[in-house]
């Protein structure tokens, strides 16, 4: 049985090689980013381990031996799950992959926006020594944080944000608005959350119903001084609408670890906007633990 790792940004695959060797399986690492590369480099695969590479209906049709796909991560939106199921190919994920890392990163970005740390860094490097130049700044305690998507990562963000002093509310399609989650978090309708929250962080999956979940109309519901963080999927936000809203002077700051187009194209308005903080899809980066 041949296992092919389509792509992987870990330092090495020593753990995978050890597990495969103990099971008597063959494993190798490729560097696939496109459909054509997956087809060309994984044609003999019985199983795929996938990080970012697309596994579409076209890819599935070209890999006749494929029996199982497992993704390094929680979301499986890069995999055509319906076609895989029809083809008898099992699809798996890692439900708790990087829960702490992504929630840590979301908190870091919330604090960056609230306390202006990235602005101050830029100003000091430019020779500007003026404490007022990065204002407004915000005290965390007593502000309302709205979490959209209340799975494992959203709940981890809630625990950490509560410890900092945020009053946490959430929205998730699995909960009725007006209900209370098991941890005591009030669940709101999406529009109500957007209206009331001082800060909003996204932790929902990207599925057809959440594509451009935050569009022009919904972002205009947010407080003018609200901050927005996305460490989930870039397409949850309509990026062109976000640029428009920011240029209108709405929203105090936005931090994005994910974008609709990755890497961003030259001329993307979000790249040069002074109220936008960008990181490199780094929220899910973790150090693999050595296998004992």
């Amino acid at each position: 049985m041949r296992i092919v790792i389509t792509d992987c940004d870990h330092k090495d695959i020593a753990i995978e090689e050890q597990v495969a060797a103990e099971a008597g399986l063959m494993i190798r690492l490729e560097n696939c980013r496109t459909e054509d590369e997956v087809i060309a480099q994984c044609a003999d695969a019985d199983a795929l381990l996938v990080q970012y590479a697309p596994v579409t209906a076209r890819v599935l049709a070209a890999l006749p031996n494929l029996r199982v796909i497992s993704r390094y991560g929680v979301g499986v939106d890069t995999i055509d799950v319906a076609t895989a199921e029809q083809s008898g190919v099992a699809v798996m994920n890692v439900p708790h992959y990087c829960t702490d890392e992504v929630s840590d990163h979301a908190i870091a970005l919330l604090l960056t926006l609230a306390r202006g740390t990235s602005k101050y860094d830029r100003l000091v490097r430019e020779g500007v020594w003026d404490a007022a130049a990065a204002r407004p700044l915000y005290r965390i305690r007593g502000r309302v944080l709205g979490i959209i998507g209340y799975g494992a990562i959203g709940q981890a963000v809630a625990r950490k944000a509560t410890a900092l002093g945020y009053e946490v509310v959430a929205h998730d399609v699995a909960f009725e608005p007006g209900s209370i989650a098991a941890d005591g978090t009030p669940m709101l309708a999406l529009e109500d959350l957007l209206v009331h929250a001082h800060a909003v962080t996204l932790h929902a999956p990207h599925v057809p119903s959440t594509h451009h979940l935050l569009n022009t109309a919904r972002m205009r519901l947010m407080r003018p001084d609200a901050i927005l963080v996305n460490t989930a999927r870039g397409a949850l936000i309509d990026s062109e609408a976000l640029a428009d809203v920011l240029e209108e002077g709405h929203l105090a700051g936005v931090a994005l670890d994910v974008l609709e187009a990755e890497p961003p194209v030259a001329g993307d308005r979000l790249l040069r906007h002074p109220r936008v903080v960008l990181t490199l899809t780094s929220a899910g980066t973790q150090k693999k633990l050595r296998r004992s």
Side-chain angles (χ1 to χ4, degrees), residues 159-198:
R159 291 191 296 274
K160 296 170 185 180
T162 300
L164 291 171
Y166 272 116
E167 297 177 9
V168 176
V169 296
H171 168 79
D172 192 293
V173 293
F175 294 84
E176 285 291 328
S179 64
I180 305 293
D183 62 4
T185 299
M187 307 303 296
L188 305 184
L190 178 58
E191 287 73 16
D192 289 340
L193 181 149
L194 294 173
V195 167
H196 291 104
H198 298 91

Side-chain angles (χ1 to χ4, degrees), residues 14-31:
I15 295 172
E16 291 89 333
E17 289 173 332
Q18 181 182 348
V19 172
E22 290 172 357
L25 307 175
M26 299 174 63
I27 191 167
R28 70 175 188 271
L29 172 63
E30 299 291 352
N31 185 26

Side-chain angles (χ1 to χ4, degrees), residues 6-7 30-43 48 50 52-63 66 77-80 83:
T6 58
D7 60 311
E30 299 291 352
N31 185 26
C32 307
R33 295 292 179 179
T34 67
E35 289 180 311
D36 288 341
E37 289 173 347
V38 177
I39 291 169
Q41 298 174 37
C42 306
L48 295 180
V50 179
Y52 303 116
V55 185
T56 61
R58 177 169 166 255
V59 169
L60 289 162
L63 273 59
L66 192 62
D77 47 296
T78 60
I79 301 168
D80 187 333
T83 300

Side-chain angles (χ1 to χ4, degrees), residues 216-232:
T216 302
R218 284 178 172 152
M219 284 186 280
R220 284 178 177 161
L221 289 176
M222 297 173 67
R223 298 169 54 102
D225 63 347
I227 61 178
L228 173 64
V229 169
N230 186 10
T231 56

Side-chain angles (χ1 to χ4, degrees), residues 111-132:
L111 290 172
T112 292
L113 294 176
R115 300 305 305 161
T117 53
S118 63
K119 294 179 187 177
Y120 279 127
D121 176 76
R122 184 173 65 251
L123 289 168
V124 171
R125 293 173 189 275
E126 292 172 354
V128 178
W129 195 261
D130 180 3

